């Protein structure tokens, strides 16, 4: 049995914290896309890619037979679709007094992440089947580089297809899939990258001092470039070769190095991030009920000098995240007492197996 990679849990812990901060910012804004903030521009570029890279990394399990496919689909449905549906019903009932079970609501509302990840997994599963079949026809000595090249080519082709596919903009399509199309073009490559990191066993290399230095330099470079373009880019709509992608990948690599060091020892901060990472999905599902509504930041922050914005944002977002996390964790803790609620609301079936 492989040893659990605590630093990946810690990365998920930081990522869910960034998600909460981003939602605090959005809930406090009056504009539809308030991307004037340098700090928020960074968060929106990196927080979701961290989850998708890690999800791709853990997609190494082969799914080559019908029984394996059945177990795979059952597991992903229990883990990703059922909790999203249940919490979407609860949240819309809480906010509007009605229950929304529409596909549009599921794909575009608060809980879009888990259904989108489910779809990405299915697309990648098909991609992997085709590429494994093609690579299997080649000699064992050349299989790995050919597999890498085919995954890269297929992912690039799919991203350009998602970007230009006319069906989503056609009146023939009754369901507005624009958000799914845009986010898939942006986020799907991270699933493939995460898979290839695992397939090529790159994580140990990313934990080296040289990799830590290189990723830090690239992160600083991408942050410097960030200051020179507009912050009003629509959410998760950047292209395949955008600076935000360099930022997300270098940030992930730097976190692998940093959290790898933190989780090796007895760092309390590292343990806190690991804990948040272990509960990241329940936190994502529950936290919407407890997000505080701050004063309109899209009118407050632009009135300040640029040098004063970042300290105020950090104070407000960290304080808001703490206010959100305390009741969120309390609710999760109470729900987890009951293994059946843990299964239906959070997709956690291991406790029932142990029982």
């Amino acid at each position: 049995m492989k040893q659990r990679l605590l630093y990946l849990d810690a990365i998920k812990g930081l990522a869910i914290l960034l998600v909460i901060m981003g939602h605090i910012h959005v809930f406090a804004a009056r504009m539809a896309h308030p991307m004037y903030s340098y700090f928020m521009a960074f968060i929106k570029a990196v927080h979701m890619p961290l989850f998708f890279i890690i999800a791709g990394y853990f997609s190494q399990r082969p799914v080559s037979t019908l029984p394996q496919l059945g177990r795979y689909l059952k597991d992903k449905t229990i883990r990703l679709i059922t909790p999203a549906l249940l919490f979407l019903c609860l949240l819309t009932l809480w906010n509007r007094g009605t229950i929304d079970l529409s596909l549009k609501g599921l794909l575009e509302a608060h809980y879009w992440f888990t259904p989108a990840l489910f779809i990405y997994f299915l697309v990648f599963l098909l991609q992997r089947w085709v590429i494994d079949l093609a690579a299997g026809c080649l000699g064992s000595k050349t299989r790995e580089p050919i597999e890498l090249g085919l995954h890269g080519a297929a992912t690039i082709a799919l991203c350009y297809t998602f970007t230009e596919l006319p069906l989503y903009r056609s009146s023939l399509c009754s369901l507005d899939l624009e958000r799914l199309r845009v986010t898939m073009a942006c986020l799907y490559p991270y699933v493939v990258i995460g898979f290839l990191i695992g397939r090529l066993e790159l994580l140990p290399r990313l934990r080296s001092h040289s990799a830590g230095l290189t990723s830090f330099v690239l992160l600083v470079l991408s942050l410097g470039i960030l200051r020179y373009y507009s912050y009003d880019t629509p959410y998760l709509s950047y292209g395949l070769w955008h600076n935000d992608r360099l930022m997300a990948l270098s940030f992930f690599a730097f976190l692998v190095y940093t959290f790898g060091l933190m989780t090796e020892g007895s760092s309390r901060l590292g343990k806190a991030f690991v804990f948040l990472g272990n509960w990241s999905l329940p936190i994502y599902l529950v936290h919407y009920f407890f997000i505080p509504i701050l004063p309109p930041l899209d009118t407050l922050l632009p009135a300040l000098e640029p040098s004063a914005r970042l300290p105020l944002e950090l104070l407000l977002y960290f304080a808001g995240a703490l206010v959100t996390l305390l009741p969120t964790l309390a609710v999760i803790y109470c729900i987890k007492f009951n293994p059946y609620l843990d299964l239906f609301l959070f997709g956690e079936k291991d406790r029932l197996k142990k029982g």
Side-chain angles (χ1 to χ4, degrees):
M1 183 177 179
K2 292 184 178 180
Q3 184 179 3
R4 188 176 182 90
L5 301 177
L6 295 179
Y7 53 88
L8 292 185
D9 289 326
I11 292 175
K12 288 196 298 182
L14 176 60
I16 195 62
L17 192 63
L18 296 179
V19 166
I20 294 173
M21 292 181 184
H23 288 162
I24 290 172
H25 171 81
V26 171
F27 277 43
R30 291 178 177 175
M31 295 184 292
H33 300 289
M35 295 304 180
Y36 54 83
S37 161
Y38 182 81
F39 183 53
M40 272 303 130
F42 167 74
I43 286 181
K44 78 182 182 71
V46 303
H47 67 322
M48 297 312 298
L50 295 177
F51 284 115
F52 283 99
I53 293 172
I54 294 174
Y57 176 82
F58 287 112
S59 299
Q60 307 298 312
R61 185 178 64 180
V63 183
S64 54
T65 66
L66 285 178
Q68 288 177 341
L69 177 61
R71 289 192 295 270
Y72 181 85
L73 294 177
K74 178 182 177 182
D75 177 72
K76 296 305 180 186
T77 300
I78 292 174
R79 186 71 175 166
L80 299 175
I81 300 300
T82 304
L85 283 171
L86 291 174
F87 272 94
L88 179 62
C89 292
L90 292 173
L91 188 63
T92 54
L93 187 63
W94 176 268
N95 289 336
R96 303 197 298 265
T98 59
I99 294 178
D100 183 4
L101 277 177
S102 67
L103 184 59
K104 178 180 174 64
L106 187 64
L107 293 176
E108 297 184 4
H110 300 76
Y111 296 112
W112 67 271
F113 163 66
T114 51
L117 182 57
F118 182 85
I119 294 172
Y120 299 177
F121 277 141
L122 296 184
V123 174
F124 179 66
L125 189 61
L126 179 60
Q127 175 178 320
R128 188 178 175 187
W129 280 345
V130 173
I131 290 176
D132 285 348
L133 181 63
C137 298
L138 304 173
S140 59
K141 292 183 179 180
T142 59
R143 174 163 181 160
E144 189 171 282
I146 291 295
E147 184 181 340
L148 175 62
L150 289 175
H151 273 297
T155 303
I156 292 172
L158 282 172
C159 284
Y160 280 112
T161 300
F162 297 146
T163 302
E164 302 298 332
L165 196 62
L167 175 62
Y168 293 130
R169 299 170 183 163
S170 169
S171 59
L172 298 176
C173 183
S174 59
L175 178 63
D176 183 9
L177 298 177
E178 179 69 11
R179 178 174 180 136
L180 178 63
R181 179 189 69 81
V182 171
T183 55
M184 192 161 189
C186 177
L187 295 173
Y188 178 73
Y190 293 112
V191 176
V192 182
I193 290 170
F195 169 79
L196 293 177
I197 289 174
R199 178 72 175 83
L200 301 175
E201 299 181 349
L202 296 181
L203 279 185
R205 299 182 184 181
L206 293 179
R207 295 192 58 190
S208 66
H209 294 312
S210 58
L213 174 61
T214 302
S215 60
F216 177 75
V217 171
L218 291 176
L219 178 60
V220 171
L221 174 64
S222 63
L223 286 170
I225 296 174
L226 176 62
R227 297 191 66 87
Y228 293 96
Y229 62 83
S230 175
Y231 303 150
D232 60 357
T233 304
Y235 180 55
L236 293 177
S237 65
Y238 56 86
L240 194 60
W241 312 109
H242 198 275
N243 176 64
D244 284 4
R245 205 169 293 280
L246 171 64
M247 191 185 312
L249 294 175
S250 60
F251 188 52
F252 172 78
F254 183 67
L255 289 178
V256 169
Y257 172 75
T258 305
F259 281 130
L261 296 175
M262 290 178 62
T263 54
E264 282 180 348
S266 56
S267 168
R268 291 184 178 180
L269 183 59
K271 291 180 179 178
F273 279 120
V274 169
F275 170 75
L276 292 178
N278 289 333
W279 281 15
S280 58
L281 181 58
I283 291 172
Y284 165 72
L285 294 167
V286 174
H287 82 280
Y288 284 109
F289 294 88
F290 301 107
I291 294 178
I293 305 301
L294 301 179
L297 299 181
D298 50 353
T299 56
L300 171 63
L301 294 178
L304 301 175
E305 292 294 326
S307 59
R309 292 181 191 177
L310 183 58
L312 179 59
E313 282 187 279
L314 290 173
L315 175 62
L316 291 175
Y317 297 141
F318 274 108
L322 182 62
V323 170
T324 304
L325 274 174
L326 290 177
T328 297
L329 294 176
V331 168
I332 296 170
Y333 181 76
C334 292
I335 289 175
K336 282 185 171 292
F337 274 116
N338 189 309
Y340 294 99
L341 288 176
D342 202 13
L343 171 64
F344 289 115
L345 293 179
F346 300 142
E348 186 56 65
K349 59 185 185 300
D350 292 339
R351 290 178 59 199
L352 284 178
K353 289 181 178 179
K354 294 176 181 177

